[in-house]
Amino acid sequence: MSDAAVSLGWSEFALKRHQDPSRRVFEGTPEELLDLVRTHWASRTPGYGRDGLDQVVVVGVPPDRFVSTTVRVGDDTPLVAEFAPREPEEDPVIQVFAEGPPEPARFAQVVLYSAATLLENGGRRSTGADWEVVALRVVADPDEPMHPVTMARNFLGKVGGTPAPYTAEQFAEAIWYWSSRAKRHVPSSE
């Protein structure tokens, strides 16, 4: 299939997060984001822990309309912990959030899963598209690894995860990176 013929859509999971003001990282409409992905589709790279372009891809886009959600944690950074699932059908996990200014949005990436990959591990598709947006990554560091809990969910094939073969080094790098960062806590009143 040629790049021009590829169809794109949003997964319900990603769209719900995009529409939630406390989690929104792109200052534009869902269709505007898909247009950015189409414009930069030819420069896509394999997703974290992947070797090819047939399952999970990452498309880099200009960061100017994005807001980072990562906070660099210091001695005086207030932290908030929650024990909850991301989605109702998933196992709950401890999630730690930081209160404070987000790191600068220097890089923006859109993570997309192929239709076949979305169906792995009892998953589902939200659209009839060839590829669906599953996550938006807005980071200060282009080498920011996936959060280790997300990696574990994927590696172990847990509900909500997509099986992927990560190495021990990738897990260790993710744990080390996230030991000094947390997602920004945004109270529901913001």
Side-chain angles (χ1 to χ4, degrees):
M1 175 179 309
S2 73
D3 288 352
V6 70
S7 61
L8 305 175
W10 280 78
S11 68
E12 288 177 23
F13 174 78
L15 187 58
K16 182 171 69 172
R17 286 174 168 257
H18 174 70
Q19 292 172 332
D20 177 348
S22 70
R23 295 183 176 185
R24 190 174 190 144
V25 297
F26 177 64
E27 297 170 341
T29 68
E31 190 55 40
E32 288 172 328
L33 182 101
L34 292 180
D35 287 343
L36 276 175
V37 172
R38 286 181 192 101
T39 299
H40 299 277
W41 183 254
S43 64
R44 68 195 179 280
T45 59
Y48 195 68
R50 307 294 177 143
D51 294 324
L53 297 173
D54 58 337
Q55 296 176 316
V56 178
V57 297
V58 177
V59 178
V61 296
D64 57 320
R65 295 176 66 193
F66 289 83
V67 178
S68 171
T69 60
T70 304
V71 174
R72 183 80 179 204
V73 176
D75 290 341
D76 59 348
T77 306
L79 300 174
V80 176
E82 296 176 1
F83 183 67
R86 288 185 316 173
E87 294 292 310
E89 68 274 6
E90 294 179 4
D91 291 332
V93 296
I94 297 170
Q95 301 173 73
V96 178
F97 300 94
E99 295 182 356
E103 291 185 287
R106 292 191 179 109
F107 302 90
Q109 301 169 325
V110 182
V111 181
L112 298 100
Y113 283 18
S114 70
T117 301
L118 287 163
L119 297 175
E120 291 178 3
N121 194 29
R124 63 184 185 276
R125 293 173 60 190
S126 302
T127 70
D130 301 321
W131 292 87
E132 292 183 11
V133 172
V134 296
L136 304 180
R137 295 185 66 234
V138 184
V139 297
D141 178 350
D143 296 321
E144 176 183 291
M146 189 179 293
H147 194 282
V149 172
T150 304
M151 291 175 68
R153 182 184 294 112
N154 290 346
F155 186 84
L156 297 171
K158 298 288 186 183
V159 172
T162 304
Y166 306 115
T167 66
E169 184 175 349
Q170 287 172 314
F171 271 111
E173 287 173 355
I175 291 166
W176 189 255
Y177 181 90
W178 285 101
S179 69
S180 63
R181 290 171 177 82
K183 292 296 181 184
R184 182 172 173 244
H185 181 253
V186 180
S188 56
S189 62
E190 276 193 30

